[in-house]
Amino acid sequence: MSTLLNVRNLVVELPAQKIRIIDDVSFSLEAGQTLGLVGESGCGKSITCFAVGNMLPRGIAQTAGSIEFGTDHAVVGKAGKPTIAMIFQDPTSSLNPVHTIGYYLESALYRHQGLKGSDARMEAMRLLERVGIDRAKSRLRSYPHQFSGGMNQRVMIAHALAAKPQLLIADEPTTALDVTMQAQILHLLEELKAETGMALIIVSHDLGVIARLADRAAVMYCGKIVETAPVAELLDRPAHPYARALIDCMPSIDAADLEPPVPIPGSVPLLDSLPEGCYFRPRCSRASGECTARFPAPARIGLAHEAACYHPVAA
Ligand SMILES: Nc1ncnc2c1ncn2[C@@H]1O[C@H](COP(=O)(O)OP(=O)(O)O)[C@@H](O)[C@H]1O
Ligand code: SF4
Ligand SMILES: [Mg+2]
């Protein structure tokens, strides 16, 4: 397999306030692979994705590090470059309420594939059908407010597919949906990945979602990756106390599992008042004096498994 995305020592800041949002983040992704980014709200998952997609909000800047995207073998889009597409948490507010679904999809098809008129309409219908929306011909005349959240998320996915992406970034794609719709959207993403061979970055605060879709997972805390591992290994043998705590607070539906979920004490610190040393220290039951000195560097735990902790949880 070839490396599609290589992020090295990425730093993203709010320069005006001198606040570091993403701090020395490195990861890579092979073509066709799925990476799960997990962590509590505010840990920097979305900003990492925006940096990768070159869509950082105004006032936020990449100040160090590199992001390389593309392989020699990648199928290229209209502009001659491999493409990244992104879908977001709240599909309804991501769609423009004054445009029809047809307009939205056909403009993307023109932009990415140069399709116009009836060619664009036919392809828009095909995409809508592919993402599971029936009566596609009449639905092209609908507006986002006439669709449910789940249908709008399907439209967002169809829009992303119009770009024929080599990488799809799905930032909390199911968080705003009810559980049956969540399962359908995850299933659709699985199918599309298998069909198109695209790589996927799936972002979620829910380890269940990551476990279902990802090959590898990276756990983020306060703008840093604190553990990265193949997803099954992370779930079985987490090394970082934060990853362990995230797993322990997942509810189980297994009747034989009598352990109640254990909440993580405290909350994620604000970026302008991070604790000295390890940022997880005030919430960590394994903390020692050593943890106050400096943030631990990532250390190898196993094959393709690293954690940034002075006292990793024993396997
Ligand atoms: N547009 C913005 N302006 C200023 N700070 C932001 C902005 N977006 C996010 N942040 C800050 O960046 C940090 C990381 O946010 P984010 O990546 O959205 O977290 P996550 O996706 O993990 O919930 C948070 O502290 C958040 O408050
Ligand atoms: S470095 Fe120390 S405080 Fe941080 S997670 Fe590891 S044991 Fe806990
Ligand atoms: Mg987010």
Side-chain angles (χ1 to χ4, degrees):
M1 272 202 275
S2 45
T3 302
L4 180 69
L5 175 69
N6 194 9
V7 176
R8 288 290 129 221
N9 309 106
L10 177 69
V11 177
V12 175
E13 295 181 308
L14 284 165
Q17 292 96 319
K18 293 195 167 47
I19 289 178
R20 206 166 252 217
I21 297 179
I22 303 300
D23 189 3
D24 202 17
V25 157
S26 298
F27 61 90
S28 60
L29 188 62
E30 306 291 315
Q33 200 185 37
T34 299
L35 173 75
L37 279 184
V38 66
E40 286 164 287
S41 192
C43 286
K45 306 181 297 295
S46 294
I47 296 291
T48 302
C49 294
F50 287 138
V52 169
N54 198 17
M55 293 184 227
L56 282 172
R58 195 175 297 221
I60 299 185
Q62 178 185 340
T63 52
S66 62
I67 299 171
E68 286 170 17
F69 177 68
T71 68
D72 292 339
H73 313 292
V75 181
V76 292
K78 190 186 172 215
K81 289 187 178 152
T83 317
I84 299 177
M86 198 159 169
I87 58 172
F88 304 95
Q89 174 172 340
D90 185 354
T92 305
S93 67
S94 303
L95 291 164
N96 190 330
V98 303
H99 291 315
T100 61
I101 302 301
Y103 177 88
Y104 181 62
L105 292 178
E106 286 169 37
S107 357
L109 286 163
Y110 177 65
R111 206 165 48 249
H112 294 291
Q113 297 185 40
L115 296 180
K116 290 192 241 180
S118 59
D119 290 343
R121 205 157 313 120
M122 293 299 285
E123 181 60 8
M125 274 168 52
R126 192 193 68 77
L127 285 175
L128 271 192
E129 277 162 8
R130 178 59 201 93
V131 297
I133 293 182
D134 57 3
R135 294 190 286 118
K137 191 171 177 187
S138 62
R139 303 282 200 185
L140 286 177
R141 292 192 293 272
S142 303
Y143 288 86
H145 74 268
Q146 296 171 296
F147 279 14
S148 68
M151 283 167 79
N152 278 333
Q153 192 57 288
R154 289 176 194 272
V155 171
M156 291 286 292
I157 294 170
H159 182 262
L161 292 178
K164 297 198 166 168
Q166 277 75 60
L167 170 61
L168 176 67
I169 301 178
D171 186 359
E172 307 261 10
T174 59
T175 303
L177 307 177
D178 63 56
V179 278
T180 48
M181 198 51 73
Q182 280 184 19
Q184 289 178 22
I185 295 290
L186 293 180
H187 182 65
L188 176 62
L189 288 175
E190 276 170 335
E191 283 183 347
L192 293 173
K193 241 184 73 70
E195 260 170 53
T196 64
M198 67 186 173
L200 179 67
I201 295 181
I202 175 97
V203 174
S204 184
H205 61 275
D206 181 347
L207 266 167
V209 171
I210 302 292
R212 172 156 176 188
L213 286 189
D215 306 301
R216 293 185 57 73
V219 181
M220 291 197 75
Y221 194 71
C222 296
K224 284 187 168 287
I225 289 181
V226 294
E227 181 160 2
T228 174
V231 78
E233 184 167 329
L234 183 89
L235 291 172
D236 269 5
R237 296 186 296 282
H240 196 282
Y242 180 57
R244 172 81 266 170
L246 282 179
I247 292 167
D248 289 345
C249 70
M250 274 171 75
S252 168
I253 54 164
D254 182 353
D257 184 358
L258 300 176
E259 297 289 326
V262 183
I264 310 177
S267 53
V268 180
L270 296 174
L271 293 174
D272 59 1
S273 49
L274 290 172
E276 294 283 303
C278 173
Y279 302 156
F280 190 56
R281 185 173 47 82
R283 307 172 76 187
C284 181
S285 59
R286 301 173 71 82
S288 72
E290 195 180 3
C291 308
T292 0
R294 68 173 63 83
F295 198 94
R300 193 170 162 158
I301 301 290
L303 195 65
H305 187 172
E306 286 189 347
C309 175
Y310 293 116
H311 310 296
V313 182

